[in-house]
Amino acid sequence: MNEKEHSHVTSFGYELIRDHVLASILGKHEKDILYWAGKDLARKFPLYTMEEALAFFHEAGWGTLQLEKTAKDSAYYTLETYNLPQSGLSRSHRLEAGFLAEQQQKIGGYMAECFDEQVKKNGIVTFQIKWDLKATI
């Protein structure tokens, strides 16, 4: 095997860590910890526009993120994961939700939270980011 073949990371390897190892380590606190870890990642990898999040998700291997609609105090995104749809059904996507919330908060200047994520049968995850226009940061 050459060096290039050794450096290839498979989706199976990613899924082992994300879906099994993290879940075992974090236990019942998995969703809360992943959300705050996503917020921390956003602080370490700041974006200048929310449009940049689409490319970031792709580069991170999280999937294809798409903005569906916006309102004055919220935005709705869908995420099509790169892994098998059945893995997406059981995986917590709170890491991605925390990342989106923190980026929106930094970019928009208002307190923000991402919630109401739903995983549909086709493996598509939906996120709603909501920000408080009365709570500037």
Side-chain angles (χ1 to χ4, degrees), residues 31-73:
K31 290 182 179 185
D32 292 332
I33 293 170
L34 286 177
Y35 188 81
W36 292 108
K39 291 178 79 66
D40 185 57
L41 273 176
R43 289 187 286 274
K44 291 177 180 170
F45 297 92
L47 305 177
Y48 296 101
T49 67
M50 286 305 288
E51 290 78 25
E52 291 179 43
L54 287 75
F56 185 93
F57 270 59
H58 174 74
E59 290 294 317
W62 291 350
T64 302
L65 184 69
Q66 184 172 337
L67 175 64
E68 295 299 325
K69 67 178 181 175
T70 59
K72 69 177 184 171
D73 64 350

Side-chain angles (χ1 to χ4, degrees), residues 1-9:
M1 234 183 242
N2 65 33
E3 186 175 321
K4 188 173 184 172
E5 289 172 343
H6 280 291
S7 66
H8 176 72
V9 177

Side-chain angles (χ1 to χ4, degrees), residues 90-104:
S90 61
R91 174 181 294 168
S92 168
H93 292 88
R94 299 304 293 161
L95 180 74
E96 295 89 336
F99 183 85
L100 289 170
E102 186 69 21
Q103 294 294 0
Q104 178 62 52

